[in-house]
Amino acid sequence: MRELVETIAKALVDDPTQVRATEEMEDDTTVIKLTVAKEDMGRIIGKEGRTAKAVRTLLNAVSTKDNKKAVLKIVE
């Protein structure tokens, strides 16, 4: 799941070398923290958060298929 988020983020930003995704476990939930360059934050979030919502929807679909729960946190 971390690789999926990282791949999507690298395709969206201007500086893919600054994209970092880390995976942590909190209780029974996988938390994926995404960090990008400050200049690319708007590209990841999108207008009214639409891009971030779309990435979260894809992540939810993949995690549900694996009978797991995952959330995406975008870190500044």
Side-chain angles (χ1 to χ4, degrees):
M1 288 185 277
R2 180 192 61 79
E3 294 87 8
L4 172 69
V5 171
E6 200 169 87
T7 302
I8 293 170
K10 284 182 179 181
L12 292 172
V13 299
D14 285 333
D15 188 5
T17 61
Q18 296 292 317
V19 174
R20 299 282 180 264
T22 58
E23 195 171 295
E24 299 175 4
M25 288 297 294
E26 289 182 11
D27 299 325
D28 62 340
T29 304
T30 303
V31 178
I32 298 175
K33 294 183 179 179
L34 178 64
T35 307
V36 297
K38 197 170 202 169
E39 301 82 31
D40 291 325
M41 193 61 69
R43 291 181 183 276
I44 291 295
I45 296 172
K47 286 187 179 180
E48 297 179 8
R50 289 183 185 153
T51 305
K53 184 177 178 185
V55 174
R56 286 185 174 111
T57 301
L58 288 171
L59 181 62
N60 187 33
V62 170
S63 65
T64 302
K65 181 180 174 189
D66 294 339
N67 293 323
K68 296 179 181 177
K69 186 174 179 187
V71 294
L72 174 66
K73 291 186 179 180
I74 300 171
V75 182
E76 289 187 34

